Amino acid sequence: MNTLNLPSGDGTVAPYTLSGTAADAAPLPPATARTAYAAAHVVADPLAPNAPGAPAALDWEATLAFRHHLWDQGLGVAEAMDTAQRGMGLDWAATAELISRTGAEARNRGALLACGVNTDQLDSSRVDLESAITAYGEQLEVVSEAGATPIVMASRALAAVASGPKDYARVYSAVLERADRPVILHWLGTAFDPALAGYWGYDSPAEAIEPVAELIAEHADRVEGIKVSLLDTALEVRLRRLLPDGVRLYTGDDFHYPELVLGDEEGFSHALLGVFAAIAPTAARALAVLDRGDTDGYLALMEPTVPLARHLFSEPTYYYKTGIAFLAWLNGHQKGFHMVGGLHSARDLPHLAHTLRLADTAGVLSDPDLAARRMGALLEVSGVAQ
């Protein structure tokens, strides 16, 4: 039996025995009733410098293998998003190479791929509206060459220089005109990035709902959907009901995804979620059950994952990437628990210990024996005797 002495967060240690239940990760075809993307993390090269502020050095074999794992589960891959540490360790040079490499892998297997387009190559001291438009355009070209759907991400640079709603409308209209295929827009709330406060030119997200819907309606032929990560179900549903026919709402709400994807009599959200990278086999099976119209079975699979998701995305929410990489390591998708920018240090040992407990309870550990061995080694080296 795999019993570990886990720190409890109150200065004590308590034994915990893993259930031993392994997640079923046999390959699945994509779901048909919902489109679902998992926002994938990147694997750091443990033999290269990856200190805070250093250029990112990736373990390309493990990074790309993880994308194939997601595709094997029938999920699309959302590449080069905030889960991949955009703005938190992954520089533009590494991002461009990541998009190119993943694009080649997706083409080879005919897999679903969307990639983040941002302005993070800009020197923050030299930003204006035109430079933001140019930067978005440069990244659109990289994503176009990769053959992927662009995800036009919320821009810190734009948030810093825009003086109001008209500036956002000007930039987004120009960017949409430059896109060679319909894009997914991206609305990231301040829980994920405090630098995006006041995005779209309004003090609160509630004020921006109608203007964003109007912007999309004006460019409906160039917008495939919008990904919303506000962690507010009411606002997401409100926007979803205002979207033009044919434009999708992709939930990025890692707290309320089961109910938002399930939907109601007036509609549902598709999925573009960081948490799906952590729970891919379970999420894929839940969507397959939903395809058959079995809502009870869908909820029975999804709901046990919510406590894990809420823990991974607990405040400060933007450090959720650490938990995603930690679970990938426990599940054997990478050799070590290292992250670019040193971000593996962003969560403490009690947080990681509780992540293990919740992952076990949710049934998302692919090999509980391996997870126990790796967690035991981490605990020993951290000074928690086993």
Side-chain angles (χ1 to χ4, degrees), residues 148-242:
T149 296
I151 305 173
V152 180
M153 300 178 70
S155 164
R156 290 177 182 171
L158 178 56
V161 300
S163 60
K166 290 184 179 180
D167 286 346
Y168 284 93
R170 173 184 165 189
V171 170
Y172 275 88
S173 295
V175 171
L176 290 170
E177 287 298 320
R178 294 187 182 199
D180 65 354
R181 68 194 73 191
V183 311
I184 299 172
L185 299 179
H186 179 236
W187 189 353
L188 199 65
T190 53
F192 291 91
D193 190 344
L196 299 176
Y199 211 75
W200 303 113
Y202 296 90
D203 291 336
S204 74
E207 295 177 278
I209 295 293
E210 277 77 14
V212 169
E214 290 170 6
L215 174 68
I216 292 171
E218 290 170 9
H219 303 278
D221 61 328
R222 294 180 176 271
V223 180
E224 192 258 299
I226 180 169
K227 184 230 184 191
V228 178
S229 298
L230 298 177
L231 304 181
D232 186 319
T233 56
L235 291 184
E236 178 171 321
V237 171
R238 185 172 143 205
L239 177 58
R240 188 173 74 199
R241 292 175 178 170
L242 291 171

Side-chain angles (χ1 to χ4, degrees), residues 325-337 374-375 378:
F326 174 67
L327 286 173
W329 173 60
L330 290 185
N331 281 327
H333 295 296
Q334 57 194 72
K335 295 177 182 177
F337 178 40
R374 289 190 164 186
M375 187 68 193
L378 178 62

